[in-house]
Amino acid sequence: MNYECLICQVNALKQRLVRYEIPEEKRGDLVSEILVEIANGHHKKSYSPEVTRNIIDKLIVASGVNDVYLDEKNFSNQQMTARYSGFKSQVENSSNPFNTALRLAIAGNIIDYGPTNHFDVDATIDRVFHTDFEIDHSGLLESEIGKAKSILYLADNCGEIVLDKLFLETIGHPNVFVAVRGKPVLNDATEKEALEIGINEVATIISNGDDTPSTLLHRVSSEFREIYDSADLIISKGMGNYEGLMDETDPRIFFLLMVKCPEIGRKIGASNGSFIVKHNSQSYFQSFS
């Protein structure tokens, strides 16, 4: 976690204190404790999502509220589910259903209450159809999906997972596992929300066994790790999952995301706000770029 991540974590503190309704008289000591946690994360070179998870753990203890984004998660899923048939018609009537469903799924990554409440889903969906992927290995992804016997899809946020469902329905692969968080964290999807929007109709839902807003292989359950290790293809959705897996050299991984942080943009080699389909192999970067 570099200094920019440190600043981001500190800047998010005020919003999180309000979100968890921490009483004024508790805030001073709690902020001091959290600042130590942030500093330790930097010195230990921890992943930023893991530091976020540790901060949220302290906020949960202080507030007694376990799932503070529950209303936002329900609202996002309900709103996107109400539009599902329209999105499905858009995919079915397009000249390239795979590409259309892929673009919708990536645009759904904007639904993220972690950094801010201010995002525009419709504007993002419009923009994804009028913008080239800044890194585009979508052709390779489609080819690898066709060859894979098993696929592991790492889900991210609620609302977004409705468009993930549409993408998975479009590819129609018979053996897909969708991994969600083991417990509530931010507005990330858990098994409860994934079932509510019917992802089980197109894939097998599994928990990664962890409550970090990411996929950190040193924290996941043995059950998840067994499926992860055996999958032919891993599709990692969203920026949080990218942060947890960006140092892996595994060529089975494809990253689908919208870049929402300049630092992540620098790491991935793309501009802030861009849409990305990136294969996790330097040899493929050179061959297909």
Side-chain angles (χ1 to χ4, degrees):
M1 191 171 76
N2 68 13
Y3 79 94
E4 291 194 6
C5 295
L6 286 171
I7 294 169
C8 188
Q9 291 283 8
V10 172
N11 288 340
L13 259 182
K14 186 173 182 179
Q15 173 196 334
R16 287 175 173 158
L17 292 170
V18 173
R19 164 72 67 168
Y20 281 85
E21 299 182 354
I22 305 299
E24 286 286 344
E25 63 271 17
K26 290 186 177 181
R27 292 187 181 186
D29 289 342
L30 184 58
V31 168
S32 296
E33 188 178 341
I34 289 173
L35 289 175
V36 171
E37 182 69 47
I38 293 171
N40 285 341
H42 172 66
H43 294 307
K44 294 176 182 178
K45 301 187 184 301
S46 299
Y47 290 94
S48 186
E50 190 166 20
V51 174
T52 299
R53 178 256 173 210
N54 294 341
I55 292 169
I56 289 173
D57 213 30
K58 294 181 185 300
L59 291 167
I60 288 172
V61 171
S63 67
V65 180
N66 183 54
D67 195 357
V68 75
Y69 289 89
L70 179 62
D71 289 345
E72 286 84 354
K73 292 195 294 182
N74 289 338
F75 176 79
S76 297
N77 276 351
Q78 290 163 7
Q79 289 291 304
M80 299 308 286
T81 298
R83 302 175 62 182
Y84 191 86
S85 61
F87 291 132
K88 185 174 180 178
S89 294
Q90 182 179 355
V91 170
E92 291 176 341
N93 294 325
S94 70
S95 59
N96 188 335
F98 174 85
N99 185 267
T100 300
L102 177 64
R103 286 179 179 275
L104 286 169
I106 294 174
N109 191 222
I110 191 63
I111 305 172
D112 187 354
Y113 286 91
T116 179
N117 293 343
H118 306 294
F119 51 80
D120 191 327
V121 176
D122 287 325
T124 305
I125 289 174
D126 181 69
R127 190 165 65 84
V128 83
F129 287 106
H130 294 89
T131 307
D132 291 334
F133 293 139
E134 194 155 322
I135 298 174
D136 186 1
H137 299 147
S138 58
L140 179 60
L141 173 62
E142 186 173 15
S143 173
E144 292 299 307
I145 288 171
K147 293 187 291 185
K149 293 180 180 178
S150 64
I151 298 173
L152 175 60
Y153 194 97
L154 307 178
D156 193 14
N157 301 317
C158 287
E160 176 180 359
I161 58 172
V162 176
L163 295 172
D164 294 332
K165 176 188 173 184
L166 178 58
F167 176 65
L168 295 175
E169 184 178 23
T170 302
I171 67 173
H173 195 282
N175 191 20
V176 179
F177 293 89
V178 172
V180 294
R181 310 300 182 221
K183 291 194 295 186
V185 59
L186 302 177
N187 66 311
D188 289 24
T190 67
E191 185 174 4
K192 172 180 177 291
E193 291 91 28
L195 283 169
E196 286 172 352
I197 62 99
I199 278 193
N200 55 302
E201 298 166 10
V202 296
T204 300
I205 302 169
I206 61 169
S207 164
N208 71 1
D210 187 32
D211 59 349
T212 302
S214 183
T215 301
L216 301 180
L217 296 181
H218 65 280
R219 293 186 57 93
V220 298
S221 68
S222 57
E223 293 81 6
F224 169 84
R225 188 58 193 257
E226 184 177 347
I227 292 172
Y228 181 95
D229 288 342
S230 64
D232 294 316
L233 177 65
I234 298 167
I235 301 176
S236 171
K237 189 71 186 301
M239 211 169 69
N241 285 325
Y242 173 76
E243 288 182 84
L245 296 171
M246 62 186 178
D247 294 327
E248 299 294 321
T249 57
D250 193 331
R252 297 175 300 156
I253 303 174
F254 281 82
F255 296 107
L256 313 183
L257 69 149
M258 177 180 172
V259 178
K260 293 172 283 190
C261 161
E263 177 59 23
I264 293 299
R266 283 191 286 274
K267 286 181 180 296
I268 205 167
S271 58
N272 198 35
S274 60
F275 304 106
I276 303 298
V277 181
K278 184 169 185 176
H279 182 244
N280 193 37
S281 168
Q282 289 299 325
S283 62
Y284 277 108
F285 295 163
Q286 293 162 5
S287 299
F288 289 88
S289 59

